[in-house]
Amino acid sequence: NISLATPLPEIPKPVFASVDGQEKYETKITTLENGLKVTSQNKFGQFCTVGILVNSGSRHETKYPSGIAHFMEKLAFSSTAQYGSKDEILLTLEKHGGICDCQTSRDTTMYAVSAEVKGLETVVSLLSDAVLQPRLLDEEIEMTRMAVRFELEDLNMRPDPEPLLTEMIHAAAYRGNTVGLPRFCPVENVDKIDKGLLHSYLQNYYCPERMVLAGVGIEHEQLVECARKYLLNMKPVWGTSSGNNVDVSVAQYTGGIIKMEKDMSDVSLGPTPIPELTHIMIGLESCSFLEDDFIPFAVLNMMMGGGGSFSAGGPGKGMFTRLYLNVLNRHHWMYNATSYHHSYEDSGLLCIHASADPRQVREMVEIITREFIQMAGSAGEVMELERAKTQLKSMLMMNLESRPVIFEDVGRQVLSTGKRKLPHELCDLISNVTASDIKRVTTKMLRSKPAVAALGDLTELPSYEHIQAALSSKDGRLPRMYRLFR
């Protein structure tokens, strides 16, 4: 009869695992002699995500025809110096249970591979080959032209106009410069882009000091060793990178309007067709992700929230956000009202996208402008702000549970700032946001000229000057129009 509190005789003393603080999971960064940064974050598990991020995207295409980034995304992981075709690459990865992917945005190109940790060496060697030694064969470029043409057609035919509107609002907000340049290749440039042009672009932008090799789920020393072996003295196929002709222009916010008259009546036919809608997006200049105001803007975006009129769910789904409470719950004819926040290293854009029947466009625009004005009026009840902060923190933490998301976060932060803010630091910053911060950033934002994108039947669309006047007024109402004949 031994009590549970006493150790059993003749049984060895147990050794318990202990946690020695955060050291094991901090982000480590090493810069190689050629300027390439290697960064990693360890994570429990037998799979890892490794990739190369390049500071190159559609915003850098000032001196080139737009569409190079779009082409590079489609050409990624095709034949290289080592591998004869895309299939060979996929078969090599398959041995390690791996998959590869390339994504471009306005400011970053990201080549990523997820595979077993045991295959790390193969993965880094493959990445180095895919990024620095692509063959860019004529038939591959021809296939890419077809893929790009198809994607452009698809973009204009989709029932969901969000990608197209995002393109338009950027073009309106930053007319003809940096992040306002088209992210998708314009139709007229599809035939202009060839191997020579791609090499001339890559020579300027794909240089080691503009790259980060990031890994999640691996030992840092191991990654650095592989980087030294495969990336330190690797000569790119286009010759030595000069990096002298890099476009360093800062985003110039211009504001403005871009309209696209389009018949949306047959966008989605079938047993339950979506009715004909007109889509409007109104945006104002926010701030870059390097500024301190970035966090209050993120909280504000969360507080505005919104979504489609068919979404269901409780408070966690954003049912208590302003665009639900003030817009979708009060105006049954509004099909959608969603807030978006796009942020770059030198500027940002906070916009609201709304869609409704073409006959109610004027009323819909006024509802959005009133929401913008009310953002500054009161930061609402304490409860609303706290809910938005909690929601933002939980979204951040939940997203950072998945390995590819951690990879992208580590890579992007190191690429743009040279260091990484850990999730708990970001959560502290979010907790410190006050109602006066929200009021301050909104007041600053409302001083900028609006950017407007409109798609669909635009007969009832108010003029740009009227939208601007509404956003400068006290209550956000559009100037009254008196028509003799209705």
Side-chain angles (χ1 to χ4, degrees):
N1 270 359
I2 301 172
S3 85
L4 291 175
T6 12
L8 291 170
E10 270 141 67
I11 291 234
K13 201 169 177 225
V15 180
F16 294 109
S18 62
V19 178
D20 47 353
Q22 290 287 320
E23 290 78 61
K24 282 202 173 68
Y25 291 105
E26 68 182 348
T27 308
K28 295 182 176 156
I29 304 170
T30 305
T31 307
L32 300 186
E33 292 76 6
N34 62 354
L36 176 95
K37 288 190 179 69
V38 181
T39 174
S40 76
Q41 165 100 20
N42 211 338
K43 187 182 194 309
F44 179 75
Q46 62 191 49
F47 273 80
C48 64
T49 299
V50 182
I52 291 178
L53 290 95
V54 191
N55 187 358
S56 142
S58 59
R59 69 168 295 165
H60 298 109
E61 295 168 356
T62 325
K63 301 172 186 164
Y64 295 88
S66 286
I68 292 181
H70 194 184
F71 264 69
M72 288 312 297
E73 177 181 48
K74 298 270 171 281
L75 283 163
F77 297 107
S78 297
S79 65
T80 67
Q82 239 177 307
Y83 300 92
S85 67
K86 190 166 196 151
D87 293 347
E88 262 184 60
I89 291 184
L90 296 176
L91 282 169
T92 310
L93 282 174
E94 227 165 75
K95 289 177 191 147
H96 301 285
I99 50 167
C100 61
D101 180 34
C102 174
Q103 288 179 0
T104 57
S105 62
R106 291 177 191 280
D107 50 6
T108 315
T109 301
M110 187 167 70
Y111 297 80
V113 172
S114 288
E116 269 187 314
V117 179
K118 292 198 288 269
L120 180 67
E121 192 140 329
T122 315
V123 166
V124 176
S125 138
L126 190 148
L127 277 165
S128 153
D129 219 39
V131 176
L132 300 172
Q133 303 267 313
R135 286 190 191 166
L136 305 178
L137 303 172
D138 291 346
E139 57 263 36
E140 288 172 346
I141 291 180
E142 203 41 61
M143 286 297 286
T144 303
R145 287 193 182 124
M146 283 165 62
V148 166
R149 280 199 190 98
F150 173 77
E151 200 168 312
L152 293 174
E153 261 178 60
D154 179 55
L155 192 70
N156 286 311
M157 285 159 58
R158 274 191 200 165
D160 171 31
E162 208 271 315
L164 192 58
L165 274 169
T166 306
E167 270 293 282
M168 290 163 67
I169 195 96
H170 277 82
Y174 305 93
R175 201 169 284 268
N177 74 85
T178 57
V179 288
L181 297 173
R183 194 173 95 69
F184 300 104
C185 180
V187 183
E188 63 274 13
N189 288 356
V190 176
D191 289 321
K192 290 182 192 165
I193 295 174
D194 57 15
K195 187 174 178 174
L197 189 67
L198 292 171
H199 272 188
S200 126
Y201 177 85
L202 296 169
Q203 197 168 6
N204 285 323
Y205 289 95
Y206 277 43
C207 42
E209 56 275 16
R210 296 179 68 85
M211 291 184 188
V212 166
L213 172 70
V216 173
I218 37 174
E219 294 295 334
H220 188 67
E221 288 66 38
Q222 223 179 331
L223 188 62
V224 172
E225 199 181 310
C226 289
R228 284 189 185 286
K229 191 168 170 185
Y230 297 107
L231 286 159
L232 189 55
N233 299 313
M234 171 71 98
K235 288 276 173 287
V237 70
W238 44 84
T240 356
S241 297
S242 51
N244 304 337
N245 273 338
V246 168
D247 178 55
V248 287
S249 43
V250 175
Q252 299 295 319
Y253 181 87
T254 57
I257 185 165
I258 287 193
K259 304 184 212 179
M260 195 190 279
E261 286 271 359
K262 195 171 164 206
D263 179 15
M264 308 279 276
S265 53
D266 55 355
V267 165
S268 91
L269 302 166
T272 52
I274 294 177
E276 183 183 350
L277 299 174
T278 293
H279 301 270
I280 305 286
M281 208 182 239
I282 297 180
L284 292 166
E285 186 179 19
S286 60
C287 72
S288 94
F289 57 63
L290 300 172
E291 292 174 51
D292 294 341
D293 281 350
F294 174 63
I295 302 286
F297 269 117
V299 174
L300 174 64
N301 179 45
M302 211 63 189
M303 199 156 89
M304 297 312 291
S309 56
F310 294 119
S311 183
K317 284 286 289 287
M319 285 297 168
F320 286 107
T321 54
R322 285 203 185 173
L323 293 177
Y324 261 110
L325 293 178
N326 303 351
V327 178
L328 292 165
N329 291 358
R330 292 187 191 174
H331 307 282
H332 65 91
W333 46 267
M334 288 277 273
Y335 261 72
N336 189 320
T338 319
S339 169
Y340 295 97
H341 187 212
H342 305 279
S343 205
Y344 304 97
E345 61 186 9
D346 43 17
S347 182
L349 193 61
L350 185 98
C351 32
I352 294 179
H353 165 209
S355 48
D357 185 282
R359 287 162 300 189
Q360 281 162 312
V361 171
R362 190 180 167 82
E363 212 175 329
M364 165 169 76
V365 169
E366 187 167 81
I367 287 165
I368 305 176
T369 52
R370 286 204 332 240
E371 281 307 307
F372 268 118
I373 296 294
Q374 279 163 18
M375 284 183 197
S378 62
E381 44 187 290
V382 181
M383 184 75 175
E384 180 185 41
L385 181 63
E386 286 309 310
R387 189 186 286 120
K389 281 154 65 169
T390 310
Q391 218 174 329
L392 184 59
K393 282 187 279 194
S394 70
M395 197 173 87
L396 177 78
M397 300 312 274
M398 281 190 241
N399 284 339
L400 285 172
E401 279 178 23
S402 103
R403 199 182 54 250
V405 176
I406 302 175
F407 158 75
E408 191 172 337
D409 182 52
V410 171
R412 279 177 183 274
Q413 284 202 47
V414 173
L415 189 63
S416 54
T417 63
K419 53 185 192 295
R420 180 182 186 225
K421 274 193 176 129
L422 290 169
H424 64 87
E425 297 174 58
L426 289 168
C427 283
D428 292 344
L429 289 171
I430 295 168
S431 302
N432 295 337
V433 173
T434 61
S436 60
D437 288 333
I438 300 285
K439 194 164 181 176
R440 179 176 49 83
V441 298
T442 312
T443 313
K444 184 177 110 183
M445 176 176 75
L446 285 165
R447 289 194 201 117
S448 63
K449 280 177 68 176
V452 183
L455 176 69
D457 174 353
L458 308 178
T459 25
E460 291 292 315
L461 180 72
S463 69
Y464 178 74
E465 290 68 27
H466 278 186
I467 296 174
Q468 200 174 351
L471 285 166
S472 318
S473 68
K474 280 199 169 63
D475 56 1
R477 287 185 181 279
L478 288 164
R480 288 285 148 254
M481 278 172 64
Y482 299 102
R483 294 190 197 162
L484 279 172
F485 306 103
R486 284 216 171 262

